[in-house]
Amino acid sequence: MSADNSRDGGGGATQGAVAEAPLKVVLCWHMHQPQYGDLLSGVYHLPWTYLHAIKDYVDMAAHLEAVPAARAVVNFVPVLLEQIDDYARQIKGFLTNSLSIHDPLLAALVQPVLPADDELRLVIARECLRANEVRMIGRFPAYRRLADMAAWLRQQPEAVHYMSGQFFADLLMWYHLAWLGETVRRSDARIKHLIDKETGYTLHDRRELLAVIGEQLESITPRYARLADRGQVELSVTPYAHPILPLLLDLNCAHDAMPDAPLPHMESYPGGAERARWHIREGNEVFRRHFGRTPSGCWPSEGAVSHDALKLLGEAGFSWAASGEGVLHNSLAKSGQAPQTPKEDWLYSPYTVADSNIACFFRDDGLSDLIGFTYATGTRTMPSVT
């Protein structure tokens, strides 16, 4: 790899000056959920797509809308976009034509009569505990009480027969209220009313909550498209179903990063190169269908890159891709250019590979982990960032 050393300053600054100066940071948010739906039956086996959509993806759009000067790169995986659309269509179909919802937990929310089967009730009790203990359950006293009862029920499953339908209706309501984005809970009068009610939720209440969930799901891609239209975000994409492109192209490239890793007995992935091209083409098509534009940037699945994978992305029209700091460090070491200086001297520049003009940027893994796991807890002070 060769580096473009056109980055802004910092190289000649003293340690004290660097510590006090604002950081120049590109924030790239990666929106990804794998395919949780059974492609034959259409049933979703896990609810994480719609739950993260109504919480994280909605809140991120709202934060950017609230601060017009804010800038970010937002990456979407195509199978996530398709699942969000599918959920929105199913909810609309249910509310307008009583069509089925193919996610068991979401369907349970609006069942007129909650299941009498003890096993299904125990499943609801278990699933409705899958929320952050502090930030989602503990902050709502009504949910806390229900969650404590559900946790006890898991220890005493024989008691489920004595639990009322109202208990499960309220538990399902609070689970979904807690998963709603903070900006929705603060701004939507319907949700404020439901939170204030605390208990005794009716079928009308449950359908009203489902309507809000459907509205939020429908709003996601249009909101991000508008943010892109006004220049606040750059939207980028991942190949369609989140494949590991380097392995599709060459199974042996796994040894570049993990020399002792066991490999399949086959010499190559069957049809790997064509499959890789299909995932890139299909991903771009899904992206265009949702956002009305062609992406210029790509976050490869798991940040996995290789010379051949980057070349393929360049041939597909991408002008940039991104990966992680560890990938760059290992690549430089393999090419005989092992970094011997602080990462400020080698990390914060785009790199290119031979035979391709695509620029590859590399994430600061330490800063990324701080933002994602440490600053989110409020246990440390964030630096000044511009």
Side-chain angles (χ1 to χ4, degrees), residues 77-113:
V77 176
V79 291
L80 168 63
L81 294 171
E82 290 184 332
Q83 289 178 89
I84 292 172
D85 263 8
D86 186 38
Y87 271 108
R89 285 194 300 268
Q90 288 188 33
I91 292 173
K92 186 173 183 179
F94 174 84
L95 292 173
T96 58
N97 295 307
S98 299
L99 300 180
S100 296
I101 292 176
H102 298 298
D103 183 294
L105 193 61
L106 190 60
L109 174 65
V110 287
Q111 282 181 340
V113 179

Short mmCIF file of all heavy atoms in Angstrom, two decimals, residues 77-113:
data_model
loop_
_atom_site.label_atom_id
_atom_site.label_comp_id
_atom_site.label_asym_id
_atom_site.label_seq_id
_atom_site.Cartn_x
_atom_site.Cartn_y
_atom_site.Cartn_z
N VAL A 77 -26.14 -1.66 5.53
CA VAL A 77 -26.04 -2.96 4.87
C VAL A 77 -27.34 -3.21 4.12
O VAL A 77 -28.43 -3.05 4.68
CB VAL A 77 -25.78 -4.08 5.91
CG1 VAL A 77 -25.78 -5.45 5.23
CG2 VAL A 77 -24.45 -3.83 6.62
N PRO A 78 -27.29 -3.60 2.85
CA PRO A 78 -28.51 -3.75 2.05
C PRO A 78 -29.55 -4.70 2.64
O PRO A 78 -30.75 -4.42 2.58
CB PRO A 78 -27.98 -4.25 0.71
CG PRO A 78 -26.61 -3.66 0.61
CD PRO A 78 -26.08 -3.72 2.01
N VAL A 79 -29.13 -5.83 3.22
CA VAL A 79 -30.13 -6.74 3.79
C VAL A 79 -30.84 -6.11 4.99
O VAL A 79 -31.98 -6.47 5.31
CB VAL A 79 -29.54 -8.11 4.18
CG1 VAL A 79 -29.13 -8.89 2.95
CG2 VAL A 79 -28.39 -7.96 5.16
N LEU A 80 -30.20 -5.17 5.64
CA LEU A 80 -30.87 -4.43 6.71
C LEU A 80 -31.96 -3.53 6.12
O LEU A 80 -33.09 -3.49 6.63
CB LEU A 80 -29.86 -3.58 7.49
CG LEU A 80 -30.45 -2.54 8.44
CD1 LEU A 80 -31.25 -3.21 9.56
CD2 LEU A 80 -29.36 -1.65 9.03
N LEU A 81 -31.64 -2.80 5.05
CA LEU A 81 -32.63 -1.93 4.41
C LEU A 81 -33.85 -2.73 3.97
O LEU A 81 -35.00 -2.30 4.16
CB LEU A 81 -32.00 -1.23 3.21
CG LEU A 81 -30.89 -0.23 3.51
CD1 LEU A 81 -30.22 0.23 2.22
CD2 LEU A 81 -31.44 0.98 4.28
N GLU A 82 -33.62 -3.91 3.41
CA GLU A 82 -34.75 -4.73 2.95
C GLU A 82 -35.60 -5.21 4.11
O GLU A 82 -36.84 -5.25 4.02
CB GLU A 82 -34.22 -5.92 2.14
CG GLU A 82 -33.63 -5.52 0.80
CD GLU A 82 -33.21 -6.71 -0.03
OE1 GLU A 82 -32.86 -7.76 0.55
OE2 GLU A 82 -33.20 -6.60 -1.28
N GLN A 83 -34.96 -5.57 5.22
CA GLN A 83 -35.72 -6.03 6.38
C GLN A 83 -36.55 -4.90 7.00
O GLN A 83 -37.70 -5.11 7.41
CB GLN A 83 -34.79 -6.63 7.42
CG GLN A 83 -34.18 -7.97 7.01
CD GLN A 83 -33.22 -8.48 8.07
OE1 GLN A 83 -33.61 -9.18 9.00
NE2 GLN A 83 -31.95 -8.13 7.93
N ILE A 84 -35.97 -3.71 7.09
CA ILE A 84 -36.72 -2.57 7.62
C ILE A 84 -37.96 -2.32 6.77
O ILE A 84 -39.06 -2.11 7.28
CB ILE A 84 -35.83 -1.30 7.67
CG1 ILE A 84 -34.74 -1.47 8.73
CG2 ILE A 84 -36.67 -0.06 7.97
CD1 ILE A 84 -33.70 -0.36 8.73
N ASP A 85 -37.80 -2.35 5.45
CA ASP A 85 -38.93 -2.18 4.54
C ASP A 85 -39.98 -3.27 4.74
O ASP A 85 -41.19 -3.01 4.74
CB ASP A 85 -38.44 -2.21 3.08
CG ASP A 85 -38.24 -0.81 2.52
OD1 ASP A 85 -38.33 0.15 3.30
OD2 ASP A 85 -37.98 -0.70 1.32
N ASP A 86 -39.51 -4.50 4.91
CA ASP A 86 -40.44 -5.62 5.07
C ASP A 86 -41.25 -5.46 6.35
O ASP A 86 -42.47 -5.67 6.35
CB ASP A 86 -39.65 -6.92 5.09
CG ASP A 86 -40.56 -8.15 5.11
OD1 ASP A 86 -41.60 -8.13 4.43
OD2 ASP A 86 -40.23 -9.12 5.81
N TYR A 87 -40.61 -5.08 7.43
CA TYR A 87 -41.33 -4.86 8.69
C TYR A 87 -42.36 -3.75 8.52
O TYR A 87 -43.51 -3.87 8.98
CB TYR A 87 -40.36 -4.49 9.80
CG TYR A 87 -39.80 -5.66 10.57
CD1 TYR A 87 -38.47 -6.06 10.42
CD2 TYR A 87 -40.59 -6.35 11.48
CE1 TYR A 87 -37.95 -7.12 11.14
CE2 TYR A 87 -40.07 -7.42 12.21
CZ TYR A 87 -38.74 -7.80 12.04
OH TYR A 87 -38.24 -8.85 12.76
N ALA A 88 -41.97 -2.66 7.88
CA ALA A 88 -42.90 -1.54 7.69
C ALA A 88 -44.12 -1.97 6.88
O ALA A 88 -45.26 -1.61 7.19
CB ALA A 88 -42.19 -0.37 7.01
N ARG A 89 -43.89 -2.77 5.82
CA ARG A 89 -45.01 -3.25 5.00
C ARG A 89 -45.91 -4.19 5.80
O ARG A 89 -47.14 -4.13 5.68
CB ARG A 89 -44.48 -3.97 3.76
CG ARG A 89 -43.94 -3.06 2.68
CD ARG A 89 -43.77 -3.82 1.36
NE ARG A 89 -42.84 -4.93 1.51
CZ ARG A 89 -41.54 -4.84 1.27
NH1 ARG A 89 -41.01 -3.69 0.92
NH2 ARG A 89 -40.76 -5.91 1.41
N GLN A 90 -45.31 -5.06 6.60
CA GLN A 90 -46.12 -5.99 7.38
C GLN A 90 -47.00 -5.25 8.39
O GLN A 90 -48.18 -5.60 8.57
CB GLN A 90 -45.22 -6.99 8.11
CG GLN A 90 -44.58 -8.03 7.19
CD GLN A 90 -43.86 -9.11 7.96
OE1 GLN A 90 -44.27 -9.48 9.06
NE2 GLN A 90 -42.78 -9.63 7.39
N ILE A 91 -46.43 -4.25 9.05
CA ILE A 91 -47.22 -3.50 10.03
C ILE A 91 -48.35 -2.76 9.34
O ILE A 91 -49.50 -2.76 9.81
CB ILE A 91 -46.31 -2.53 10.80
CG1 ILE A 91 -45.35 -3.32 11.69
CG2 ILE A 91 -47.13 -1.54 11.64
CD1 ILE A 91 -44.29 -2.48 12.38
N LYS A 92 -48.06 -2.14 8.21
CA LYS A 92 -49.10 -1.43 7.48
C LYS A 92 -50.19 -2.41 7.02
O LYS A 92 -51.39 -2.10 7.12
CB LYS A 92 -48.49 -0.71 6.27
CG LYS A 92 -49.49 0.17 5.52
CD LYS A 92 -48.77 0.97 4.44
CE LYS A 92 -49.74 1.90 3.74
NZ LYS A 92 -49.06 2.72 2.69
N GLY A 93 -49.77 -3.57 6.54
CA GLY A 93 -50.74 -4.57 6.10
C GLY A 93 -51.60 -5.07 7.25
O GLY A 93 -52.80 -5.32 7.07
N PHE A 94 -51.02 -5.19 8.42
CA PHE A 94 -51.79 -5.64 9.58
C PHE A 94 -52.81 -4.59 10.00
O PHE A 94 -53.99 -4.90 10.24
CB PHE A 94 -50.85 -5.95 10.75
CG PHE A 94 -51.57 -6.28 12.02
CD1 PHE A 94 -52.03 -7.57 12.26
CD2 PHE A 94 -51.83 -5.30 12.98
CE1 PHE A 94 -52.71 -7.88 13.43
CE2 PHE A 94 -52.52 -5.60 14.14
CZ PHE A 94 -52.96 -6.89 14.37
N LEU A 95 -52.38 -3.32 10.07
CA LEU A 95 -53.26 -2.27 10.56
C LEU A 95 -54.36 -1.91 9.57
O LEU A 95 -55.45 -1.49 9.97
CB LEU A 95 -52.43 -1.02 10.90
CG LEU A 95 -51.48 -1.16 12.09
CD1 LEU A 95 -50.60 0.08 12.23
CD2 LEU A 95 -52.26 -1.41 13.39
N THR A 96 -54.11 -2.11 8.28
CA THR A 96 -55.10 -1.72 7.28
C THR A 96 -55.94 -2.89 6.78
O THR A 96 -57.12 -2.71 6.44
CB THR A 96 -54.42 -1.04 6.08
OG1 THR A 96 -53.45 -1.94 5.51
CG2 THR A 96 -53.74 0.25 6.50
N ASN A 97 -55.33 -4.09 6.72
CA ASN A 97 -56.05 -5.23 6.15
C ASN A 97 -55.98 -6.50 6.99
O ASN A 97 -56.30 -7.59 6.50
CB ASN A 97 -55.49 -5.54 4.75
CG ASN A 97 -55.76 -4.42 3.76
OD1 ASN A 97 -56.90 -3.99 3.61
ND2 ASN A 97 -54.71 -3.93 3.12
N SER A 98 -55.52 -6.37 8.24
CA SER A 98 -55.44 -7.52 9.16
C SER A 98 -54.56 -8.64 8.62
O SER A 98 -54.82 -9.82 8.89
CB SER A 98 -56.84 -8.06 9.48
OG SER A 98 -57.62 -7.08 10.11
N LEU A 99 -53.55 -8.28 7.84
CA LEU A 99 -52.61 -9.29 7.35
C LEU A 99 -51.67 -9.71 8.48
O LEU A 99 -51.53 -9.02 9.48
CB LEU A 99 -51.82 -8.73 6.17
CG LEU A 99 -52.64 -8.29 4.95
CD1 LEU A 99 -51.71 -7.76 3.85
CD2 LEU A 99 -53.48 -9.45 4.41
N SER A 100 -51.00 -10.84 8.29
CA SER A 100 -50.16 -11.40 9.35
C SER A 100 -48.86 -10.62 9.51
O SER A 100 -48.31 -10.09 8.54
CB SER A 100 -49.83 -12.86 9.05
OG SER A 100 -51.01 -13.65 9.05
N ILE A 101 -48.37 -10.58 10.74
CA ILE A 101 -47.02 -10.09 11.05
C ILE A 101 -46.17 -11.32 11.31
O ILE A 101 -46.54 -12.17 12.12
CB ILE A 101 -47.03 -9.15 12.28
CG1 ILE A 101 -47.76 -7.85 11.93
CG2 ILE A 101 -45.61 -8.86 12.74
CD1 ILE A 101 -47.90 -6.90 13.11
N HIS A 102 -45.03 -11.42 10.64
CA HIS A 102 -44.24 -12.64 10.67
C HIS A 102 -43.08 -12.58 11.65
O HIS A 102 -42.10 -13.33 11.49
CB HIS A 102 -43.72 -12.97 9.26
CG HIS A 102 -44.82 -13.21 8.28
ND1 HIS A 102 -45.72 -14.25 8.41
CD2 HIS A 102 -45.20 -12.53 7.16
CE1 HIS A 102 -46.59 -14.22 7.41
NE2 HIS A 102 -46.29 -13.18 6.64
N ASP A 103 -43.18 -11.71 12.64
CA ASP A 103 -42.23 -11.71 13.75
C ASP A 103 -43.02 -12.07 15.00
O ASP A 103 -43.94 -11.34 15.38
CB ASP A 103 -41.56 -10.34 13.91
CG ASP A 103 -40.51 -10.34 15.00
OD1 ASP A 103 -40.89 -10.51 16.19
OD2 ASP A 103 -39.32 -10.16 14.69
N PRO A 104 -42.72 -13.21 15.65
CA PRO A 104 -43.56 -13.67 16.76
C PRO A 104 -43.70 -12.66 17.89
O PRO A 104 -44.80 -12.52 18.46
CB PRO A 104 -42.84 -14.94 17.23
CG PRO A 104 -42.08 -15.41 16.03
CD PRO A 104 -41.66 -14.16 15.31
N LEU A 105 -42.63 -11.96 18.24
CA LEU A 105 -42.70 -11.02 19.36
C LEU A 105 -43.53 -9.80 19.00
O LEU A 105 -44.36 -9.34 19.78
CB LEU A 105 -41.30 -10.60 19.78
CG LEU A 105 -41.18 -9.88 21.12
CD1 LEU A 105 -41.65 -10.76 22.26
CD2 LEU A 105 -39.75 -9.42 21.36
N LEU A 106 -43.33 -9.27 17.81
CA LEU A 106 -44.10 -8.11 17.37
C LEU A 106 -45.57 -8.48 17.18
O LEU A 106 -46.46 -7.70 17.52
CB LEU A 106 -43.51 -7.56 16.08
CG LEU A 106 -44.05 -6.21 15.60
CD1 LEU A 106 -43.81 -5.12 16.63
CD2 LEU A 106 -43.41 -5.82 14.27
N ALA A 107 -45.82 -9.68 16.67
CA ALA A 107 -47.20 -10.14 16.50
C ALA A 107 -47.89 -10.30 17.85
O ALA A 107 -49.08 -9.98 18.00
CB ALA A 107 -47.22 -11.46 15.73
N ALA A 108 -47.15 -10.78 18.85
CA ALA A 108 -47.73 -10.97 20.18
C ALA A 108 -48.20 -9.65 20.78
O ALA A 108 -49.18 -9.60 21.52
CB ALA A 108 -46.72 -11.64 21.11
N LEU A 109 -47.50 -8.56 20.44
CA LEU A 109 -47.86 -7.26 20.98
C LEU A 109 -49.31 -6.90 20.69
O LEU A 109 -49.98 -6.26 21.51
CB LEU A 109 -46.92 -6.18 20.40
CG LEU A 109 -47.23 -4.73 20.75
CD1 LEU A 109 -47.07 -4.48 22.25
CD2 LEU A 109 -46.35 -3.78 19.94
N VAL A 110 -49.81 -7.32 19.51
CA VAL A 110 -51.14 -6.87 19.10
C VAL A 110 -52.13 -8.03 18.93
O VAL A 110 -53.16 -7.87 18.30
CB VAL A 110 -51.06 -6.06 17.78
CG1 VAL A 110 -50.46 -4.69 18.04
CG2 VAL A 110 -50.25 -6.81 16.72
N GLN A 111 -51.81 -9.16 19.51
CA GLN A 111 -52.79 -10.25 19.47
C GLN A 111 -53.99 -9.89 20.35
O GLN A 111 -53.81 -9.52 21.52
CB GLN A 111 -52.15 -11.55 19.97
CG GLN A 111 -51.26 -12.22 18.96
CD GLN A 111 -50.67 -13.51 19.50
OE1 GLN A 111 -50.61 -13.73 20.70
NE2 GLN A 111 -50.23 -14.37 18.60
N PRO A 112 -55.19 -10.00 19.83
CA PRO A 112 -56.37 -9.67 20.65
C PRO A 112 -56.44 -10.49 21.93
O PRO A 112 -56.79 -9.98 23.00
CB PRO A 112 -57.54 -9.98 19.71
CG PRO A 112 -56.96 -9.85 18.34
CD PRO A 112 -55.55 -10.33 18.44
N VAL A 113 -56.12 -11.78 21.80
CA VAL A 113 -56.08 -12.65 22.97
C VAL A 113 -54.67 -13.24 23.05
O VAL A 113 -54.23 -13.94 22.13
CB VAL A 113 -57.11 -13.79 22.87
CG1 VAL A 113 -57.01 -14.70 24.09
CG2 VAL A 113 -58.52 -13.23 22.73
#
